[in-house]
Amino acid sequence: MRHFIFKKEINFLEDIKLEQAMFGMGCFWGAEKKYWDLEGVKITAVGYAGGVSKSPSYQDVCTGLTGHNEVVKLLFDPTEVSYTQLLAIFWENHDPTQKNRQGNDIGTQYRSGAYYFSEDQKGTIIETKEIYEHSMRKAGFGSIVTEIKDAPEFFLAEDYHQQYLAKNPQGYCGLGGTGINLTLKSETLIEAF
């Protein structure tokens, strides 16, 4: 399957210079769009993860019976973009206090999820969650309900879902943040897109 933006095959083969990241933040179309233009991101793809089915289709996942989440997976160069910067985009561009939904998108496949590929990533997720949750509570939001776990097996979604909003610029995107930025050491890390 060829990437519509990067003009190369979508694959996540191990590369000593690159790291992987995976996030669920509601509909995967908008989530992928937040990352494909970011300097240091080398490939993005949408798919399904965290469920029981070994060959999920979009129709299967939409039933809510597979347990899969709609996710975006990416390869990035940590010398060009930090994992913390990727997490800032994750936290700021959806509402992690909503359980199994984002806006009008309702179901377990729309849950908030941050999936780690290393203990360092796990630590960074937990640290930024605590900081972001403090800011969210000060603004009147509830607790963060994001699923944080070891990266589950990733199943590539159908071709028509890949880079959907580049292929369909007027397409639906229910992704929306809370307007709260992830602030570390009294500085805004990344402005919400």
Side-chain angles (χ1 to χ4, degrees):
M1 194 177 304
R2 194 161 174 80
H3 199 285
F4 188 76
I5 304 290
F6 291 105
K7 309 296 185 206
K8 61 183 177 181
E9 288 301 305
I10 295 174
N11 69 59
F12 292 95
L13 298 176
E14 289 191 31
D15 182 323
I16 197 161
K17 297 177 189 175
L18 303 180
E19 292 184 26
Q20 298 181 70
M22 188 186 322
F23 306 107
M25 44 197 294
C27 176
F28 51 20
W29 296 340
E32 184 181 27
K33 184 177 183 195
K34 293 293 179 188
Y35 290 104
W36 71 48
D37 284 333
L38 190 62
E39 186 174 338
V41 171
K42 304 304 179 184
I43 200 78
T44 61
V46 296
Y48 316 110
V52 294
S53 173
K54 290 298 181 188
S55 59
S57 70
Y58 181 69
Q59 289 74 23
D60 295 337
V61 172
C62 284
T63 68
L65 301 176
T66 67
H68 282 294
N69 193 1
E70 288 191 12
V71 298
V72 58
K73 185 174 180 182
L74 48 117
L75 282 178
F76 68 99
D77 185 335
T79 66
E80 296 177 41
V81 62
S82 72
Y83 189 65
T84 303
Q85 289 172 302
L86 301 177
L87 281 168
I89 291 170
F90 168 73
W91 293 122
E92 293 174 3
N93 286 283
H94 78 297
D95 183 349
T97 68
Q98 291 188 334
K99 185 158 179 72
N100 296 331
R101 73 176 299 164
Q102 286 299 308
N104 292 328
D105 294 328
I106 300 171
T108 57
Q109 70 270 30
Y110 300 117
R111 66 188 180 269
S112 175
Y115 307 101
Y116 53 87
F117 289 86
S118 69
E119 288 301 309
D120 284 345
Q121 285 188 358
K122 178 182 180 180
T124 305
I125 292 168
I126 292 169
E127 178 185 0
T128 58
K129 174 192 176 273
E130 290 170 358
I131 293 166
Y132 198 64
E133 187 167 48
H134 178 73
S135 297
M136 296 280 288
R137 286 180 176 269
K138 282 175 58 176
F141 288 88
S143 298
I144 288 177
V145 296
T146 300
E147 176 177 73
I148 299 171
K149 65 181 195 178
D150 193 23
E153 186 174 1
F154 173 80
F155 299 93
L156 194 64
E158 296 82 353
D159 185 55
Y160 70 93
H161 287 299
Q162 304 300 328
Q163 303 83 56
Y164 181 86
L165 292 175
K167 298 171 188 172
N168 303 279
Q170 306 305 315
Y172 167 78
C173 178
L175 197 64
T178 61
I180 298 169
N181 293 322
L182 176 63
T183 304
L184 302 176
K185 297 184 182 177
S186 303
E187 293 182 20
T188 300
L189 186 63
I190 285 183
E191 293 297 322
F193 289 35

